[in-house]
Amino acid sequence: MVTPIRKSTTSNWHTRRTNETMRLLVTTIVGVIFGFFLGVSFPALSLTKVNISSNIFPSIDLSYIEDKYSGLSTQALLNVWSSLKGRRGFSRKFNNTKIWVPTNPRGAERLPPGVIVAESDLYTRRLWGLPGEDLIVKPRYLFTFTVGYEQRYNIDAAVKKLSENFTILLFHYDGRASEWDEFEWSKRSIHVSVRKQTKWWYAKRFLHPDIVAPFDYVFIWDEDLGVENFDAEEYIKLVRKHGLDISQPGLSLDSGMTWQMTRRQEESEVHKDTEERPGWCTDPHLPPCAAFVEIMAPVFSRDAWRCVWHMIQNDLVHGWGLDFALRKCVEPAHEKIGVVDSQWIVHQTVPSLGNQGKAEKGKAPWEGVRERCRNEWTLFQDRMTAAEKAYFISMGIDPPNSTSR
């Protein structure tokens, strides 16, 4: 009788454990070797050829990144991506926090107040270097002319009398902006070219108060003004001395003029009132005997311009009637609006803008332009009167007599 021999279970368990240990050891060694060679060769690999889990790089076009930043090392790209991943985590953590600041400018309520730049400027800047080092001098005054190329020598004479404290801005109604480069100063100036428009059209669209805020005074002048007896720096000194927020230089006695108020008074620095023809002034403190300058060569303080800009109508481009309403923007108007006599100019009455009109219905171009000027004056008066009346009624006050003229 043969007795069966039972193999020890303990021996089998030891054998299996030994085999598993060897397998694990071999796998580890192979893995280490593979990882070493992979690590050595990885910088030379294209990211687009590595199949990386979408959990690591979700929804990102690696080929775009590699093309756009081909000059960067792979490690640099990975560092950038790690930074982005961190920011995403921050965003998820605070995704329930929203910014809403009602006191911010309209449309910017979702921005933190500390990042808002509500005002800008017309200073030209470099394309290199530090922003804080761009400007050696920050001009304090803005001088604008609405021009056609034919008046270039007149404008050249005016600009050459201005110091570096002035930024020069030319509005070109004839489309010939590049031709002004014959003047060296033109290359440092700002040019805006839109055909057949007036200075008030340009002013409404390009001289927003938040854009010209750095300037103490804004000059908005026509092109046909002689400046032989005018010094802009001295003019501003007199404006400050006499507290004028809205002003103009006096007109020489041989200038083309309509109102006595703008005529230069000899032996005077500044005048703020005058006598007009009988019946023209219902009150000695009201236009055209006081609180009045014409629209050909006005100069505005920063604060006054902020008000005047809002009063300019989008569709009324000639500005007729505006000079009678300027007084609404300063108080008391008969003290803060005046004419500077000791710095005077010559109005040459060149009808250049009238020639930009269109001949129709048997009328010359200038006739159509003049007709629209008169119509706009009436429209402006009517709008101002209606707006004031509506305001007083809404406040429960009986409207006073119209003060739009």
Side-chain angles (χ1 to χ4, degrees):
M1 181 177 180
V2 178
T3 303
I5 300 174
R6 176 178 293 179
K7 292 184 178 180
S8 170
T9 58
T10 302
S11 175
N12 292 338
W13 179 81
H14 280 297
T15 302
R16 285 198 301 273
R17 184 169 183 181
T18 301
N19 292 339
E20 290 173 359
T21 301
M22 289 299 295
R23 244 190 330 266
L24 179 60
L25 181 60
V26 170
T27 301
T28 302
I29 294 172
V30 171
V32 169
I33 295 172
F34 177 79
F36 173 78
F37 284 106
L38 179 63
V40 171
S41 60
F42 185 78
L45 294 178
S46 168
L47 285 174
T48 57
K49 296 177 182 177
V50 180
N51 184 19
I52 303 177
S53 168
S54 60
N55 291 329
I56 300 177
F57 292 124
S59 62
I60 187 166
D61 187 349
L62 294 178
S63 62
Y64 168 77
I65 288 182
E66 189 174 46
D67 290 341
K68 186 173 180 62
Y69 301 104
S70 57
L72 297 178
S73 68
T74 301
Q75 186 59 48
L77 290 174
L78 291 176
N79 291 341
V80 171
W81 181 249
S82 298
S83 175
L84 293 175
K85 288 279 287 180
R87 293 183 184 181
R88 284 191 57 200
F90 180 86
S91 177
R92 283 196 298 270
K93 183 177 180 181
F94 294 98
N95 62 359
N96 293 326
T97 301
K98 294 184 178 180
I99 294 175
W100 185 261
V101 186
T103 55
N104 280 356
R106 186 176 63 178
E109 294 87 354
R110 291 180 174 83
L111 300 178
V115 80
I116 291 176
V117 181
E119 297 177 344
S120 186
D121 57 60
L122 292 174
Y123 301 142
T124 55
R125 294 183 176 273
R126 306 174 302 175
L127 302 181
W128 66 93
L130 298 175
E133 299 174 355
D134 284 346
L135 304 174
I136 299 176
V137 175
K138 289 186 177 180
R140 299 174 58 190
Y141 318 117
L142 176 65
F143 217 122
T144 76
F145 297 95
T146 302
V147 301
Y149 187 63
E150 292 182 358
Q151 294 297 315
R152 61 190 180 280
Y153 297 118
N154 198 49
I155 300 301
D156 178 51
V159 171
K160 286 180 176 177
K161 301 194 71 173
L162 302 178
S163 71
E164 63 181 4
N165 280 327
F166 289 83
T167 290
I168 309 301
L169 171 55
L170 300 187
F171 296 125
H172 300 271
Y173 63 75
D174 61 354
R176 302 175 67 179
S178 61
E179 297 175 57
W180 288 73
D181 278 353
E182 65 184 87
F183 305 114
E184 184 60 32
W185 55 262
S186 176
K187 300 173 185 178
R188 301 185 301 273
S189 302
I190 301 170
H191 298 262
V192 176
S193 179
V194 184
R195 292 178 181 272
K196 296 182 182 294
Q197 301 302 317
T198 72
K199 68 178 178 181
W200 301 110
W201 184 93
Y202 294 113
K204 186 65 173 179
R205 288 150 183 83
F206 299 103
L207 299 182
H208 188 283
D210 288 343
I211 297 297
V212 301
F215 301 109
D216 294 343
Y217 293 93
V218 179
F219 294 65
I220 304 181
W221 281 25
D222 290 349
E223 62 183 341
D224 59 342
L225 303 174
V227 294
E228 183 178 350
N229 299 288
F230 178 81
D231 183 303
E233 295 279 3
E234 291 300 317
Y235 180 91
I236 290 174
K237 289 180 182 178
L238 291 170
V239 163
R240 294 187 191 277
K241 175 181 176 181
H242 293 273
L244 301 180
D245 280 327
I246 301 176
S247 63
Q248 76 161 78
L251 298 179
S252 65
L253 301 183
D254 58 344
S255 294
M257 67 185 73
T258 303
W259 312 103
Q260 289 296 317
M261 179 64 184
T262 58
R263 182 186 295 271
R264 178 194 177 213
Q265 295 184 7
E266 298 184 23
E267 309 302 326
S268 171
E269 282 188 342
V270 166
H271 73 269
K272 300 179 180 181
D273 55 33
T274 190
E275 291 187 5
E276 262 293 353
R277 282 166 265 190
W280 279 43
C281 297
T282 58
D283 186 313
H285 288 167
L286 294 180
C289 287
F292 178 76
V293 296
E294 287 192 82
I295 58 174
M296 71 175 72
V299 181
F300 301 95
S301 70
R302 181 192 297 108
D303 292 339
W305 177 246
R306 183 168 290 277
C307 173
V308 172
W309 183 89
H310 285 283
M311 187 166 58
I312 298 171
Q313 306 291 290
N314 286 353
D315 58 331
L316 306 183
V317 296
H318 288 289
W320 279 35
L322 186 65
D323 36 19
F324 279 87
L326 293 177
R327 62 191 179 82
K328 299 178 183 297
C329 286
V330 293
E331 180 67 32
H334 65 278
E335 291 292 337
K336 294 190 175 182
I337 299 178
V339 174
V340 178
D341 299 301
S342 59
Q343 295 296 321
W344 46 280
I345 59 176
V346 178
H347 185 206
Q348 300 164 345
T349 61
V350 177
S352 50
L353 191 59
N355 295 332
Q356 298 294 309
K358 181 179 180 181
E360 57 184 6
K361 298 180 181 180
K363 295 181 180 179
W366 69 268
E367 290 181 290
V369 172
R370 182 56 60 94
E371 183 178 352
R372 173 155 179 164
C373 287
R374 295 193 182 99
N375 289 338
E376 286 195 3
W377 192 348
T378 300
L379 283 170
F380 183 75
Q381 283 182 273
D382 292 344
R383 289 181 187 181
M384 186 65 74
T385 300
E388 289 181 342
K389 181 178 180 180
Y391 168 78
F392 287 119
I393 290 176
S394 70
M395 299 296 290
I397 304 172
D398 291 334
N401 293 332
S402 171
T403 58
S404 62
R405 183 177 188 275

